[in-house]
Amino acid sequence: MAISCNICNKELDAFSGGRCKICRSLVCSDCMASGSTDQKAGIICKNCATESKQSAQSQSGSDPIETETTVPQPYNSKRIPIIIIGSFTLLCIFIYLLTIPYITTQNAMKVIEFGPDKDLHEAKEKLSLVTGTYVLDQLEDLAINGKQNTAIRAVSALGAQPSPRAILILKKLQLSDDTPEYLNSIIIEALLENERLYKPVEEEEKEVK
């Protein structure tokens, strides 16, 4: 049975054809793209050579697109002032948010320590909004170690604090033998004020639960 070229169907003999090293098809000398039967590198047929060429072209054709997407765009220098102004604005807001509670606390504490008494109500309200360990420690220290008017204002401010620790401080002062006589009535008023301000809220929460 005669053997034919798998590409052009030309009849092959022992010397005129060979097998493609890629697709392993038998091809004649006319259908060989490279190589020959007497070369160790082998034969590549026209079909495989064409496919390899098209594949290489398609890959090279996609390279420019990838290059275009990866090339960094020139920086717009007009945006630099906008970025600087925006960053400075955010920094100022951040500093303001950090410092305003501290400033509020310090100003209110000055009223508690030095007066005047007419500003006491406003100072108590401000301290109740920024309540915390620092505020409670300062008020307790002023209530124990402050002069008479300072101690009175500090106890009154403790009554406006929403923290349960404020009640504990007031009751500890009430039971202490070192607490001056003039503070006893102020402590009672502070405890009643705290109950008036916060006890109804606690009872409503319990009813909801």
Side-chain angles (χ1 to χ4, degrees):
M1 181 177 178
I3 299 175
S4 300
C5 174
N6 293 141
I7 296 177
C8 66
N9 292 326
K10 179 181 178 181
E11 186 176 342
L12 300 176
D13 55 31
F15 304 101
S16 62
R19 191 178 294 275
C20 176
K21 68 178 181 180
I22 297 176
C23 66
R24 309 306 297 168
S25 299
L26 289 171
V27 292
C28 65
S29 58
D30 294 333
C31 294
M32 295 178 188
S34 64
S36 63
T37 56
D38 58 353
Q39 292 182 354
K40 292 183 179 181
I43 298 168
I44 297 177
C45 68
K46 289 181 178 181
N47 289 346
C48 291
T50 301
E51 290 178 2
S52 299
K53 184 177 180 181
Q54 290 175 349
S55 176
Q57 287 177 346
S58 64
Q59 291 179 358
S60 62
S62 63
D63 289 340
I65 298 175
E66 294 178 359
T67 303
E68 290 176 3
T69 56
T70 55
V71 171
Q73 298 295 325
Y75 192 80
N76 189 355
S77 58
K78 294 181 180 179
R79 295 182 59 189
I80 295 178
I82 298 175
I83 294 174
I84 293 174
I85 293 172
S87 300
F88 180 75
T89 303
L90 291 175
L91 179 61
C92 291
I93 294 173
F94 180 73
I95 294 174
Y96 174 80
L97 293 175
L98 285 179
T99 57
I100 195 64
Y102 175 79
I103 295 172
T104 300
T105 302
Q106 293 303 311
N107 290 337
M109 281 297 178
K110 287 180 181 178
V111 173
I112 299 298
E113 188 169 3
F114 304 110
D117 291 339
K118 64 183 181 67
D119 295 333
L120 177 60
H121 180 72
E122 183 180 356
K124 287 164 57 176
E125 288 186 345
K126 290 180 178 179
L127 288 175
S128 68
L129 296 176
V130 294
T131 186
T133 302
Y134 173 77
V135 172
L136 293 171
D137 287 345
Q138 290 295 309
L139 290 176
E140 182 179 12
D141 180 66
L142 292 175
I144 295 173
N145 301 315
K147 295 181 180 179
Q148 180 172 341
N149 288 338
T150 298
I152 290 173
R153 287 190 290 265
V155 168
S156 180
L158 281 168
Q161 287 292 304
S163 172
R165 187 187 160 202
I167 302 298
L168 296 177
I169 295 172
L170 290 171
K171 289 185 176 180
K172 184 176 73 172
L173 290 171
Q174 191 177 37
L175 297 173
S176 175
D177 295 333
D178 296 330
T179 300
E181 197 64 37
Y182 60 81
L183 276 184
N184 289 330
S185 61
I186 307 300
I187 292 172
I188 294 173
E189 290 176 6
L191 289 170
L192 291 174
E193 181 180 14
N194 188 276
E195 183 176 358
R196 178 180 60 81
L197 290 173
Y198 305 112
K199 186 90 178 274
V201 176
E202 293 177 0
E203 290 178 351
E204 288 177 6
E205 289 178 352
K206 290 179 181 178
E207 289 177 2
V208 171
K209 292 179 180 179

